[in-house]
């Protein structure tokens, strides 16, 4: 796909300008602290990395500083589960925006233990169960998977973050046990939660995350290795879910302002793609009231506004 204008864009100048323009916002967000380890971060950090399908990369700011990917990792585990279970997956998790916070318990009882979508925590825990129940060593499988996608063998789980999530993950444990009572969790709940907390605790930088999303801009095929992770149809569905559910109950606002399918995490990262062209990851730990990076959303809004490239 060609957008016709991208050859005229000076990517580096564009992102350098963005890094300056978002500076006043860096003090306005709130760093997540409901997982205590998440608050151990420089709250004025800002990084952004772009990966183009043709292999070019551009970075600004703290783009090579590791951060906790948190919910961005739900995309990796969903990719794995979708490729394993195919459309059977949707018998256990829905595809509609939730309109509720990412860790809400309310909807689940009304909907008999079937989460609205795979990106709210309940949905991601069902997805985690699908991976755990269908792979012999789920934790190492997902680490290898992410290392391949990002082309970085050093990517690992942050053990302090993992322990912190495990110790304070009472809501997630409640969600998992509740869904088990409806028969929507097959494996042992603790094993499923360990896998879920494990992938949320992956430490990556903006460059790694941007590269790891490139296959979604390329119909499911990694443009550098040529390896297929999803069929073209599955990649289409994944991008649709990212657009409608990837930033929780702010997905409408994100689509309106940014115009890209994207996934946020409470570590302050957001990854987004433009099909046929690029992937981008921005990181800034101060969050808005929906749990999305405040400066990160603004940076992506500036990016699509300045370049005049979005999916719309
Ligand atoms: N691990 C986090 C949690 O379960 C992920 C939430 C997020 O990034 N939105 O609460």
């Amino acid at each position: 796909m060609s957008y016709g204008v991208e050859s005229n864009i000076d990517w580096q100048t564009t992102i350098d300008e963005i890094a300056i323009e978002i500076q006043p916002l860096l003090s306005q967000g709130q760093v997540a602290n409901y997982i205590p380890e998440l608050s151990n971060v420089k709250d004025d950090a800002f990084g952004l990395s772009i990966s183009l399908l043709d292999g070019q990369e551009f970075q600004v700011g703290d783009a090579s500083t590791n951060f906790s990917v948190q919910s961005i990792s739900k995309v990796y585990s969903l990719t794995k589960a979708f490729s394993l279970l195919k459309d059977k997956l949707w018998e256990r998790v829905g595809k509609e925006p939730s309109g509720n916070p990412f860790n809400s318990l309310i909807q689940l009882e009304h909907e008999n233990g079937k989460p609205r979508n795979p990106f709210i925590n309940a949905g991601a825990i069902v997805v985690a169960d699908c991976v755990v129940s269908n792979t012999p060593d789920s934790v190492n499988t997902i680490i290898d998977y992410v290392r391949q996608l990002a082309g970085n063998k050093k990517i690992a789980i942050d053990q302090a973050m993992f322990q912190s999530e495990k110790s304070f993950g009472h809501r997630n444990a409640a969600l998992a046990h509740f869904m088990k009572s409806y028969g929507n969790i097959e494996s042992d709940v603790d094993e499923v939660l360990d896998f879920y907390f494990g992938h949320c605790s992956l430490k990556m930088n903006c460059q790694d995350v941007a590269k790891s999303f490139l296959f979604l801009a390329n119909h499911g095929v990694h443009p550098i290795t040529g390896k297929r992770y999803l069929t073209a149809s599955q990649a289409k569905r994944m991008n649709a879910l990212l657009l409608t559910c990837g930033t929780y109950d702010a997905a409408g606002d994100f689509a309106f302002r940014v115009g890209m399918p994207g996934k946020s995490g409470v570590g302050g990262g957001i990854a987004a793609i433009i099909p046929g062209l690029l992937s981008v990851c921005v990181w800034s730990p101060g969050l808005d009231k929906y749990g999305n990076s405040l400066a990160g959303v603004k940076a992506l809004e500036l990016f699509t506004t300045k370049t005049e490239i979005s999916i719309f």
Side-chain angles (χ1 to χ4, degrees), residues 34-35 70-71 74 102 121 165 172 196 200 248 264-266:
Y34 74 100
I35 301 167
Q70 292 296 325
S71 283
K74 293 172 180 172
F102 63 82
N121 286 8
E165 282 223 52
N172 288 322
Y196 171 78
C200 285
Y248 313 109
S264 60
V266 285

Side-chain angles (χ1 to χ4, degrees), residues 25-34 43 100-103 246-255 257-258 263-270 282-301:
L25 294 179
L26 295 182
S27 53
Q28 291 180 28
Q30 197 68 42
V31 174
N33 57 10
Y34 74 100
D43 60 1
N100 277 311
F102 63 82
N103 55 3
T247 44
Y248 313 109
D249 44 343
D253 186 60
F254 189 82
R257 290 172 55 196
V258 176
K263 185 75 207 80
S264 60
V266 285
I270 309 175
V282 61
W283 170 59
S284 170
L287 307 180
D288 62 21
K289 65 176 182 200
Y290 300 105
N292 299 318
S293 170
L294 189 112
V297 176
K298 183 67 191 176
L300 294 176
E301 180 182 2

Side-chain angles (χ1 to χ4, degrees), residues 74-83 145 215 229-230 238:
K74 293 172 180 172
V75 175
Y76 309 132
S77 121
L78 180 59
T79 301
K80 187 74 199 167
F82 199 7
S83 63
Y145 204 61
F215 76 106
Y229 289 87
L230 292 175
M238 178 71 93

